[in-house]
Amino acid sequence: MHNQDLNHLPQPVGSLVSSWKPPAPPGCEPMPGLFCRLEPLDPERHARALFEANAEEADGRSWTYLPYGPFESFENYRAWMGQTCGGSDPLFFTIQDGARAVPVGLASYLRIDPQAGSIEVGHLKFSPQMQRTPIATEAMFLMMQRAFALGYRRYEWKCHSLNAPSRTAAQRLGFSFEGIFRQAAVVKGRSRDTAWYSVIDQEWPRLRAVFEQWLSPDNFDAQGKQRRALSDLTRPLLHRQG
């Protein structure tokens, strides 16, 4: 257990937060990187390209643990986007392939709580064009970087407890496991236990250095293959695995 301050009773209390102030909600400014660029989602501009990129996955397996989809028609996808993606929480961004300037995925900030200093990343939908590429990693780095630069203390990742790829991805990206919330929701008519992961602000400087090391051009050979796995770099930083 971490050392705790004591009050006058004396009871253990949390550490004093003296210099922190609640941050502003995230804005819609683009987030450019080496491999990708995140822009505010504009359904008129982005929906068709995203629908076609997602359609390259024939079996629709990446929709299984999301509360929506797969969408059989563009019209249904566009209607969902219009109903779901236009607000400030969740705040949606399209992930663009930096080399081709075309949309290949979606991500959002959600459950934005400035007073608590907490913000979550979610609604992740990576098309086959960005799965297992540096685009996916850099997009998550850019969103995390924006959150901590704004002054958030806690950055969350939550997923279905049975979604093994998402749980692996969270820890690869430096999120520490916090536990399982049992029967947290009903999704697509089925009970969902939710796995919780987080990165906190005191962990961010070391994690940011790891991301920058991994994303450096020196970490990729002539064929674009990584020389060192990100998970090898982030594993020592995890507070807890699971």
Side-chain angles (χ1 to χ4, degrees):
M1 178 180 293
H2 296 294
N3 292 330
Q4 295 286 350
D5 295 338
L6 299 178
N7 66 10
H8 66 284
L9 292 176
Q11 297 168 309
V13 292
S15 300
L16 186 65
V17 181
S18 57
S19 60
W20 178 81
K21 295 181 180 179
C28 296
E29 297 81 6
M31 292 176 258
L34 294 173
F35 300 97
C36 72
R37 175 183 172 88
L38 279 74
E39 293 186 353
L41 176 63
D42 180 347
E44 294 300 320
R45 293 175 51 221
H46 303 139
R48 175 65 70 175
L50 288 168
F51 178 78
E52 293 175 354
N54 288 326
E56 295 179 13
E57 180 184 69
D59 60 10
R61 67 176 53 242
S62 64
W63 296 100
T64 298
Y65 299 108
L66 289 170
Y68 41 77
F71 299 94
E72 296 182 357
S73 69
F74 170 71
E75 290 72 23
N76 288 342
Y77 181 65
R78 178 65 181 83
W80 165 81
M81 192 173 283
Q83 294 167 0
T84 306
C85 304
S88 59
D89 188 351
L91 179 64
F92 275 85
F93 289 84
T94 183
I95 303 166
Q96 296 196 0
D97 182 325
R100 299 182 296 136
V102 296
V104 292
L106 276 183
S108 79
Y109 293 122
L110 69 156
R111 297 186 178 90
I112 302 164
D113 188 348
Q115 292 303 312
S118 176
I119 189 170
E120 182 178 342
V121 62
H123 292 288
L124 304 179
K125 184 61 181 73
F126 298 170
S127 76
Q129 296 180 26
M130 68 173 288
Q131 293 169 10
R132 299 183 180 276
T133 72
I135 294 172
T137 299
E138 186 178 52
M140 295 298 92
F141 164 67
L142 291 172
M143 292 188 72
M144 196 183 303
Q145 179 173 249
R146 168 73 57 84
F148 284 118
L150 285 170
Y152 285 86
R153 305 174 64 236
R154 173 178 169 84
Y155 192 69
E156 298 180 335
W157 176 297
K158 304 188 187 95
C159 63
H160 197 304
S161 65
L162 299 178
N163 188 349
S166 183
R167 296 182 66 171
T168 298
Q171 292 177 102
R172 174 182 175 271
L173 293 167
F175 289 82
S176 292
F177 178 61
E178 294 186 326
I180 303 291
F181 278 39
R182 299 178 300 163
Q183 296 187 185
V186 176
V187 178
K188 294 179 177 175
R190 296 181 180 273
S191 183
R192 164 176 154 157
D193 294 354
T194 297
W196 284 51
Y197 297 84
S198 73
V199 176
I200 59 176
D201 55 358
Q202 62 188 273
E203 299 165 345
W204 172 239
R206 291 180 65 195
L207 183 56
R208 178 179 58 201
V210 161
F211 274 116
E212 291 172 345
Q213 178 183 348
W214 189 86
L215 289 165
S216 170
D218 295 340
N219 191 44
F220 298 92
D221 63 20
Q223 288 72 45
K225 185 178 179 180
Q226 64 179 0
R227 301 184 189 276
R228 188 169 186 187
L230 181 62
S231 57
D232 291 340
L233 299 171
T234 56
R235 190 177 300 112
L237 306 182
L238 298 179
H239 179 69
R240 180 185 174 196
Q241 300 184 52

